[in-house]
């Protein structure tokens, strides 16, 4: 029997063929679900129910016709009709058992697919302004965004990771002023310190480096401090480069890298903002009122029209956002995903409206957004709000230093982005089953220990008689391995890394149950080899899934 790498996709192809035979004019989606009870099979399909109304036939009659039109498959044991017309599919035991060999042969490629067909997708995430160290909210964006990229890559997309930041504007003015005051020996305790000035100790670090005439390499630029406390522009340029370098160091410690860095100032110097504004005016969707230029975003679903150019001649912040996204479209990204904090929710409608107003063929609803909620950090049961370095918030580096990269990445990605996240430092550091990342990694380490004790040739797993894997625990574990490719496909479609985190936790639980119930190093050599092959396949899937989350799979714990 040739191993099937994705049972759900295989069955969907069978039913798509049957639909073309029974209802060639119909294009209903093939939906396959797992029945809650094993008595109803391994998968259930409601295609007959979907086709009944447009074809004006009974669902049971259509179900019979669809079953008759299904191509032969050695994966399918039997197909039954249930209820009003549901089609229940039972997978052969041999096909389920064969997943062990499929995993061992595919190795790192198990679970990957070509659904994306190498189409280009740009994913923008983190995009923090260079005004200070990355905070835990940026960390959640980094974890979720990077995992989304990994999922899309596993699903066959051509992924570009992009970081966009503002190197001009009021926040950068405040940064420059804060560093300049530090250069002149003035501290945040001084009465002259500006209300919006940055007070963290890192500002003093920037000032010392500038005065020492250090050279900073950031974003392929070399910036050297002049040491002149009165040269505001030199201080601005140096401070941005310094903090961009610090952000990159934090991100590298977090295992996150980018392919493209985009600067807001470049949109102005290149003329892209001016060109975008001219095109919007030419589109007829703008108007002048109260000495300002407005975009009629209500034409595209916004609750009110928005100012583009203020009375002082400056542009509001969404205008360069429109120019930036137009640039992405012109670079060939027919799909773009932005991972941002939930405080950016209000910008979605106006950016999309601006892109629609340009009338250049950008589809409605472009780009896609993944918005994450805030993160609360707990230690000893109390909320942690400040960092020694940053002053007013907990930094990403604080978490990495405290609990390590693996736990930080897992915990920040393990909940749905639209849910608020409580990061419990004590839980993340605990070596117990209550700590999910420890629980998953321990499953992998346990398998490595068993295989080390066995000390055999892993190449012999390809000759294992997997038909011997018949126990209740083995059946459950086999089913979980079968589910992995579909878990990736669904998580990639939903842009939901937390689904992989949940899958891995369930897989680890199933293995720990197996480990506690069965012995592996036994006298029956054939059964021993089959069980060890199943263990090795489980370890492979644990490694594959953890790699999508940017988490290591240790061999010893």
């Amino acid at each position: 029997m040739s191993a099937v790498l994705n049972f759900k996709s295989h069955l969907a192809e069978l039913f798509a063929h049957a639909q073309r035979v029974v209802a060639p004019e119909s294009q209903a989606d093939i939906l396959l679900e797992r029945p809650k009870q094993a008595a109803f099979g391994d998968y259930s399909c409601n295609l007959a129910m979907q086709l009944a109304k447009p074809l004006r036939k009974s669902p049971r009659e259509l179900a019979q016709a669809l079953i008759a039109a299904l191509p032969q498959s050695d994966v399918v044991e039997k197909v039954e009709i249930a209820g009003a017309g549901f089609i229940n599919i039972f997978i052969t035991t041999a096909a389920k058992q064969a997943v062990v060999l499929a995993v061992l042969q595919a190795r790192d490629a198990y679970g990957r697919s070509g659904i994306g067909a190498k189409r280009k997708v740009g994913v923008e995430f983190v995009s923090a302004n260079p005004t200070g160290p990355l905070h835990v909210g940026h960390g959640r964006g980094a974890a979720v965004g990077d995992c989304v990229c990994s999922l899309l890559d596993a699903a066959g997309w051509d992924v570009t990771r992009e970081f966009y930041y503002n190197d001009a504007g009021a926040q950068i003015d405040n940064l420059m002023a804060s560093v300049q005051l530090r250069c002149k020996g003035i501290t945040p305790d001084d009465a002259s310190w500006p209300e919006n000035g940055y007070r963290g100790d890192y500002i003093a670090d920037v000032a010392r480096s500038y005065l020492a005439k250090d050279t900073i390499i950031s974003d392929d630029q070399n910036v050297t401090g002049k040491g002149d406390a009165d040269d505001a522009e030199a201080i601005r340029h140096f401070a941005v480069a310094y903090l961009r370098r610090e952000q990159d160091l934090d991100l590298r410690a977090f295992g996150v890298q980018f392919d493209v860095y985009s600067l807001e100032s470049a949109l102005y110097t290149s003329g892209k903002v001016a060109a975008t504004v001219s095109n919007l005016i030419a589109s007829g969707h703008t108007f002048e009122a109260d000495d300002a230029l407005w975009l009629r975003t209500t034409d595209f679903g916004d609750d009110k029209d928005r100012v583009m150019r203020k009375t002082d001649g400056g542009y509001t912040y969404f205008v360069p956002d429109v120019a930036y996204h137009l640039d992405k479209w012109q670079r060939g990204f027919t799909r773009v995903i932005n991972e941002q904090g939930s405080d950016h929710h209000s910008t979605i409608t106006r950016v999309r409206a601006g892109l629609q107003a340009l009338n250049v063929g950008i589809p409605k609803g472009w780009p896609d957004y993944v918005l994450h909620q805030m993160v609360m950090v707990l230690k000893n049961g109390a909320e942690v709000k400040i960092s020694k370095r940053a002053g007013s918030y907990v930094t990403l580096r604080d978490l990495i230093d405290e609990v390590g990269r693996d736990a930080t990445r897992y915990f920040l990605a393990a909940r749905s982005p639209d849910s608020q996240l409580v990061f419990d430092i004590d839980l993340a550091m605990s070596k117990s089953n209550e700590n999910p990342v420890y629980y998953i990694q321990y499953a992998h380490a346990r398998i490595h220990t068993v295989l080390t004790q066995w000390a055999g040739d892993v190449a012999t797993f390809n000759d294992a008689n997997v038909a011997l894997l018949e126990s209740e625990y083995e059946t459950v574990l086999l089913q979980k391995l079968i589910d992995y490719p579909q878990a990736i496909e669904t998580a990639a479609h939903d842009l939901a890394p937390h689904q992989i985190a949940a899958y891995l936790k369930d897989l680890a639980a199933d293995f720990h149950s197996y480990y506690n119930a069965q012995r592996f190093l036994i006298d029956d050599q054939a059964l021993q080899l089959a069980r060890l092959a199943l263990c090795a396949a489980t370890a492979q899937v644990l490694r594959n899934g953890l790699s999508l989350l940017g988490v290591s799979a240790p061999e010893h714990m």
Side-chain angles (χ1 to χ4, degrees):
M1 171 182 292
S2 59
V4 172
L5 297 183
N6 190 324
F7 285 76
K8 199 170 181 180
S9 294
H10 175 70
L11 294 176
E13 291 174 1
L14 299 182
F15 276 94
H17 173 87
Q19 181 177 205
R20 289 192 294 270
V21 173
V22 173
E25 302 302 319
S26 300
Q27 294 182 336
D29 292 335
I30 310 298
L31 303 177
L32 290 153
E33 302 293 340
R34 278 209 169 282
K36 294 181 180 179
Q37 300 180 32
F40 296 121
D42 296 290
Y43 296 92
S44 179
C45 182
N46 69 347
L47 182 58
M49 313 282 283
Q50 293 186 72
L51 295 176
K53 187 174 182 180
L55 296 183
R56 297 182 180 179
K57 293 183 179 180
S58 77
R60 289 188 67 89
E61 177 187 349
L62 284 168
Q64 290 172 343
L66 288 168
I67 291 172
L70 285 174
Q72 288 294 315
S73 170
D74 55 9
V75 165
V76 179
E77 179 181 341
K78 62 178 179 179
V79 183
E80 295 179 345
I81 303 173
F86 287 99
I87 301 174
N88 293 335
I89 307 101
F90 295 78
I91 304 298
T92 66
T93 300
K96 294 178 183 178
Q97 293 163 335
V99 73
V100 172
L101 302 180
V103 172
L104 294 176
Q105 289 166 10
R107 298 175 65 83
D108 294 348
Y110 183 68
R112 300 182 67 86
S113 71
I115 294 173
K118 288 300 177 184
R119 287 171 289 175
K120 289 181 64 174
V121 56
V123 183
E124 180 202 336
F125 59 108
V126 183
S127 292
N129 291 337
T131 55
L134 298 176
H135 55 61
V136 291
H138 295 134
R140 190 176 194 188
V144 173
D146 196 47
C147 291
V148 164
C149 291
S150 295
L151 282 168
L152 291 169
D153 177 72
W157 290 81
D158 179 6
V159 182
T160 296
R161 291 164 162 85
E162 189 151 345
F163 189 118
Y164 170 82
Y165 65 93
N166 177 357
D167 56 340
Q171 291 186 21
I172 304 300
D173 289 343
N174 291 334
L175 171 68
M176 179 273 294
S178 302
V179 174
Q180 186 173 40
L181 288 172
R182 282 287 197 169
C183 287
K184 294 180 177 181
I186 300 172
T187 70
D189 296 328
D190 193 280
S192 65
W193 194 266
E195 182 179 350
N196 293 326
Y198 294 98
R199 299 172 178 271
D201 289 347
Y202 68 92
I203 295 295
D205 296 337
V206 178
R208 279 192 293 270
S209 186
Y210 173 81
L211 292 173
K213 300 183 180 180
D214 290 341
T215 297
I216 305 298
I217 301 175
S218 172
D219 300 335
D220 298 324
Q221 298 181 51
N222 291 347
V223 181
T224 301
K226 286 188 175 181
D228 181 356
D230 292 318
D231 192 334
E233 203 53 41
I235 292 173
R236 179 199 304 272
H237 196 44
F238 183 87
V240 168
Y242 184 102
L243 290 170
R244 276 291 310 119
R245 184 192 65 179
E246 292 298 296
Q247 289 180 349
D248 275 347
L249 291 174
D250 288 348
L251 289 168
R252 286 174 195 163
F254 203 43
V256 175
Q257 293 184 322
F258 290 88
D259 304 305
V260 175
Y261 290 92
S262 296
L263 285 71
E264 181 178 1
S265 62
L267 295 170
Y268 287 93
T269 57
S270 66
K272 290 178 180 178
V273 170
T276 298
V277 171
S278 295
N279 290 340
L280 288 171
I281 293 172
S283 74
H285 293 287
T286 65
F287 63 95
E288 299 267 359
D290 303 322
D291 295 322
L293 177 66
W294 298 67
L295 179 65
R296 196 175 287 105
T297 54
T298 51
D299 291 348
F300 304 96
D302 202 357
D303 59 345
K304 61 181 180 180
D305 297 327
R306 305 291 176 174
V307 174
M308 289 175 54
R309 188 176 61 234
K310 297 176 288 186
T311 55
D312 63 6
Y315 292 112
T316 54
Y317 64 89
F318 89 93
V319 175
D321 278 356
V322 174
Y324 172 48
H325 284 85
L326 174 61
D327 177 69
K328 291 183 183 181
W329 177 262
Q330 292 170 337
R331 281 188 274 144
F333 290 110
T334 54
R335 187 181 187 192
V336 162
I337 300 162
N338 295 341
E339 204 293 338
Q340 297 173 317
S342 57
D343 56 330
H344 288 83
H345 184 272
S346 61
T347 68
I348 296 175
T349 301
R350 64 197 70 171
V351 168
R352 286 175 172 169
L355 294 168
Q356 289 297 299
L358 288 169
N359 196 28
V360 293
I362 296 175
K364 291 182 179 179
W366 189 96
D368 293 327
Y369 285 85
V370 176
L371 302 180
H372 66 261
Q373 294 287 337
M374 64 179 290
V375 181
M376 176 189 295
V377 180
L378 293 183
K379 186 174 184 180
N380 299 324
E383 183 178 359
V384 182
K385 292 185 176 181
I386 63 172
S387 160
K388 289 182 180 179
R389 183 162 175 248
S392 58
Y393 57 85
V394 179
T395 69
L396 173 60
R397 177 70 72 159
D398 290 333
L399 282 187
I400 297 172
D401 290 345
E402 189 86 13
V403 306
R405 185 173 93 180
D406 283 347
T408 303
R409 285 198 62 132
Y410 183 91
F411 273 75
L412 289 176
R415 280 184 63 82
S416 174
D418 59 10
S419 301
Q420 289 195 358
L421 173 65
V422 175
F423 193 111
D424 189 329
I425 288 177
D426 301 311
L427 176 61
M429 294 179 68
S430 69
K431 293 179 170 58
S432 70
N433 292 345
E434 283 70 40
N435 179 355
V437 68
Y438 176 85
Y439 188 64
I440 296 166
Q441 291 179 319
Y442 185 43
H444 185 270
R446 262 185 161 177
I447 294 171
H448 183 266
T449 298
V450 170
L451 296 179
T452 300
Q453 291 173 348
W454 169 60
D457 183 0
V458 295
T460 60
F461 289 155
N462 292 321
D463 300 320
N465 182 6
V466 292
L468 299 174
L469 300 172
E470 298 178 314
S471 77
E472 173 189 350
Y473 297 97
E474 288 158 351
T475 300
V476 169
L477 198 51
L478 287 168
Q479 189 60 66
K480 191 61 68 176
L481 299 184
I482 287 169
D483 289 342
Y484 180 65
Q486 188 59 46
I488 291 181
E489 186 175 317
T490 303
H493 177 272
D494 296 345
L495 306 178
H498 67 280
Q499 294 178 7
I500 297 300
Y503 168 88
L504 290 172
K505 187 178 178 183
D506 290 343
L507 176 60
D510 290 339
F511 174 76
H512 287 308
S513 296
Y514 183 39
Y515 181 92
N516 293 329
Q518 309 264 217
R519 292 176 56 235
F520 306 124
L521 304 180
I522 55 179
D523 293 335
D524 186 333
Q525 293 298 297
L527 182 57
Q528 173 181 266
L529 193 64
R531 286 180 174 175
L532 292 175
L534 175 56
C535 288
T538 302
Q540 182 68 62
V541 173
L542 286 168
R543 284 195 298 277
N544 291 1
L546 286 169
S547 70
L548 293 175
L549 301 180
V551 177
S552 69
E555 296 180 346
H556 305 283
M557 292 182 70

